[in-house]
């Protein structure tokens, strides 16, 4: 190995949880000085840490909800979520602006999503998720945003195909 790195390889690094000053092991005592501190990390690990730090999301306090209202949007699957009044309103709002989202530019899409989120909030609605213990919590802004984007993308291939077909039939009529 002709590495020009000045840091020791991982195989040579001592384990941080072992006692290297055990008097019963004279070989270890002579090989490792009492004031030895292992290197903090290699340059590869530092780079990895720096990359992951840019993807870290700030930890936020979880807000539990005592009562779920008809204007709340519930995150989940199945009939209770499908037929909840807040989810019905959410889906109706999504249907009203779906074409603007699907055929708009990126900036337009962001505005459409923010519009839907503002409509839900202006009614006093929240995006809620049920925990494994059955409690309801308010999801983060990011989760609400992603849920809205996903709802807007659902059925996009059918909608774009029908728009393409209608354009083709108009072209044939000319």
């Amino acid at each position: 190995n002709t590495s020009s790195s000045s840091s020791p390889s991982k195989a040579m690094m001592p384990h941080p949880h072992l006692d290297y000053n055990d008097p019963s092991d004279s070989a270890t005592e002579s090989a490792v000085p009492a004031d030895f501190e292992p290197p903090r990390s290699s340059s590869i690990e530092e780079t990895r840490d720096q990359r992951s730090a840019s993807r870290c999301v700030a930890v936020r306090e979880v807000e539990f909800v005592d009562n779920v209202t008809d204007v709340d949007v519930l995150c989940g699957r199945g009939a209770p979520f499908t037929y909840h009044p807040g989810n019905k309103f959410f889906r109706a709002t999504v249907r009203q602006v779906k074409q603007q989202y699907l055929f708009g530019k990126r900036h337009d899409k962001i505005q459409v999503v923010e519009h839907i989120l503002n409509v839900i909030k202006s009614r006093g609605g929240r995006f809620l998720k049920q925990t494994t213990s059955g409690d309801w919590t308010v999801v983060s802004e990011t989760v609400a945003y992603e849920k809205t984007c996903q709802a807007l993308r659902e059925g996009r291939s059918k909608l774009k195909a029908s728009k393409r077909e209608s354009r083709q039939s108009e072209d044939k009529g000319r």
Side-chain angles (χ1 to χ4, degrees):
N1 190 1
T2 58
S3 175
S4 62
S5 174
S6 62
S7 64
S9 71
K10 282 195 171 210
M12 295 175 60
M13 283 190 202
H15 192 280
H17 300 294
L18 298 178
D19 183 9
Y20 289 98
N21 295 320
D22 183 1
S24 64
D25 186 6
S26 61
T28 304
E29 193 172 65
S30 63
V32 180
D35 61 345
F36 177 81
E37 288 186 33
R40 286 179 19 145
S41 64
S42 70
S43 60
I44 294 170
E45 288 170 340
E46 288 173 356
T47 304
R48 189 180 308 126
D49 290 344
Q50 289 167 353
R51 277 195 310 255
S52 64
S54 66
R55 286 181 269 151
C56 287
V57 178
V59 177
R60 66 178 190 89
E61 193 172 316
V62 176
E63 180 185 344
F64 288 91
V65 175
D66 291 329
N67 59 335
V68 175
T69 67
D70 286 348
V71 294
D72 291 327
V73 177
L74 309 180
C75 299
R77 297 171 64 159
F81 301 97
T82 302
Y83 298 113
H84 180 73
N87 289 38
K88 286 181 173 181
F89 178 81
F90 173 73
R91 286 192 308 275
T93 307
V94 165
R95 274 191 303 275
Q96 289 174 354
V97 295
K98 186 176 268 195
Q99 286 196 355
Q100 287 176 283
Y101 180 85
L102 292 177
F103 299 105
K105 303 257 187 252
R106 186 164 194 251
H107 176 74
D108 300 328
K109 292 180 180 195
I110 293 168
Q111 287 183 331
V112 168
V113 173
E114 288 175 350
H115 167 74
I116 293 171
L117 294 174
N118 289 334
V119 167
I120 299 299
K121 287 179 188 173
S122 69
R123 301 175 71 224
R126 304 162 290 185
F127 285 80
L128 306 178
K129 184 173 186 169
Q130 198 167 27
T131 64
T132 54
S133 63
D135 297 323
W136 288 95
T137 61
V138 177
V139 301
S140 69
E141 292 285 326
T142 304
V143 172
Y145 188 94
E146 290 301 320
K147 178 177 176 62
T148 305
C149 289
Q150 181 60 44
L152 286 161
R153 287 191 303 264
E154 286 177 4
R156 71 178 160 189
S157 58
K158 290 179 184 176
L159 191 60
K160 284 190 172 189
S162 68
K163 182 121 178 168
R164 201 175 315 115
E165 288 171 10
S166 67
R167 254 193 261 126
Q168 288 172 351
S169 65
E170 286 176 8
D171 291 345
K172 287 180 184 178
R174 291 183 183 177

